Each structure stands twice: as C-alpha cells, then as structure tokens.
Amino acid sequence: MPHDHADDAPPHSLLPPEPALRVKALETLLTRKGLVDPAALDEIIETYAHKVGPRNGAAVVARAWVDADFRARLLADATAAVAEMGFAGRQGEHMVAVENTPEQHNMVVCTLCSCYPWPLLGIPPGWYKSDAYRARAVREPRAVLAEFGVTLPDATRVRVWDSTAEVRYLVLPMRPEGTGSMDEAALAALVSRDAMIGTALVAAPT
C-alpha cells in the first residue's frame, strides 16, 4: 500500500498535523508501549473536567461575598480558607487572595511562566501564558485591561501581582450592585475566570 513516509522516518513524522489527532495518536502510541496507564489518563481528565476549575474559584468568591467571617479568613490565609471548602491540591499549596475595592484593582500575571492556582481556576488560558501578556501586564496594565474591555476610573490604582511557584493569587472581585437578594449559587454564576485574574469585572445580572 503506498504511503507518504519513508519506512525509516522518525515516529513523530508519522503523526497527523491536527493537534487533537496528534494528541490522540501520541496517547495511543504511549498506551501501546505501556508507558501510560489509560485509567490514569481518565482520572486526570475527570479531575480537570469536574474537580478543579473556575467553578471552584467562583464558589469561593460567592462565599466571601455573603459571609464576612469567611472573607476575613480568605484574605488572611487563602490556602486555609479554600481548604475549608474542599479545594486544595497541586498548584494550590500557597494561595493569596487580593480584594478589589473602589480604590484598588488587582491583576495577576506570571512574568516568568504561567504559575496559576489550578484548584480554583483550572488550567491557565493561552493568553495568560503568552509573552505579550506577561510583558505588557507589568508595563502597561491599564492598556491591557482596556483590551479586555475593562476601563477603570483614573482614581483607581491598578496593582499587578506576579505569581510564582511559591505564591499564586486569586482576585476577589467587587460584588456588583443589585445582587443583595441572590444566594451563593446565583452569585457564583456571575463570576468569571477572568474576573478572578483581574482582567474582567463582575457585572450585575440583567
């Protein structure tokens, strides 16, 4: 049967060009060689699909909005506070929560790589890992925020927090007006991943 590859071509040259197919082909090859356990892969997929991610972070924010004691504990020791809600694990060992106020808006970046609180926000988005965001978030945060659609009053300070392997940040956004009657679940539904990085605001429900 004719084919496009030489018989002595290296294995990676036989992989399909499409990313999803390429990943699937690699998974199949590694599984057949006994280098990965399909059950372990399923567990990883299950974890990142259902156990970690922005829904956890949004639940933490909503709890802080309705429970003043929890908010105080979150700002004092975020790692311990989120552990109360069952959120802990790899890349979430040392977390710090920073609160947005009318006087200060917080924004998170990792200038060296892509350090990020996985248990609360999941896997970082592509733009968070990009060279452009990592460089410009520090140099011109207001310009970067404007590109995300966030324009702040001139009187509001913008503070940029640089995540590291030791410390990862969660932005506690301001609770929007008109949400006094909403319960935690409804409030959590308003909170986006980007709001917890500081590149978005939380809007009141329409």
Side-chain angles (χ1 to χ4, degrees), residues 29 48 50 63 66 71-72 81 102 106 117 124 127 140-141 151 160 173 178:
L29 284 171
Y48 287 99
H50 302 292
R63 177 70 56 84
V66 301
R71 172 181 162 277
N106 299 288
W127 57 260
E140 46 181 2
T151 302
V160 180

Side-chain angles (χ1 to χ4, degrees), residues 1-174:
M1 179 177 174
H3 55 77
D4 297 330
H5 303 282
D7 291 336
D8 58 352
H12 67 268
S13 68
L14 304 177
L15 295 173
E18 297 83 359
L21 293 175
R22 196 174 182 86
V23 169
K24 185 63 180 174
L26 278 171
E27 178 186 339
T28 302
L29 284 171
L30 293 172
T31 300
R32 286 178 178 171
K33 290 179 177 293
L35 298 175
V36 300
D37 179 355
L41 290 177
D42 289 344
E43 178 61 27
I44 291 171
I45 292 169
E46 171 67 16
T47 295
Y48 287 99
H50 302 292
K51 297 180 181 177
V52 304
R55 286 179 298 182
N56 293 352
V60 169
V61 170
R63 177 70 56 84
W65 282 346
V66 301
D67 184 335
D69 290 338
F70 177 78
R71 172 181 162 277
R73 294 197 299 276
L74 179 70
L75 295 175
D77 184 346
T79 307
V82 301
E84 294 177 22
M85 299 179 68
F87 305 141
R90 187 166 175 259
Q91 312 295 336
E93 296 88 348
H94 305 289
M95 287 187 282
V96 171
V98 290
E99 183 178 34
N100 283 351
T101 67
E103 292 75 34
Q104 177 167 302
H105 180 88
N106 299 288
M107 181 178 176
V108 182
V109 67
C110 177
T111 55
L112 289 179
C113 48
S114 58
C115 295
Y116 194 73
W118 289 9
L120 297 183
L121 298 186
I123 302 297
W127 57 260
Y128 184 85
K129 298 180 282 187
S130 71
D131 291 342
Y133 178 77
R134 289 158 48 198
R136 294 182 61 226
V138 176
R139 291 201 315 265
E140 46 181 2
R142 285 183 181 273
V144 173
L145 288 173
E147 290 170 13
F148 279 92
V150 176
T151 302
L152 300 169
D154 291 342
T156 301
R157 297 188 305 272
V158 178
R159 181 162 183 179
V160 180
W161 300 84
D162 193 0
S163 284
T164 69
E166 286 75 35
V167 180
R168 294 154 199 271
Y169 296 94
L170 173 76
V171 173
L172 176 57
M174 288 192 291

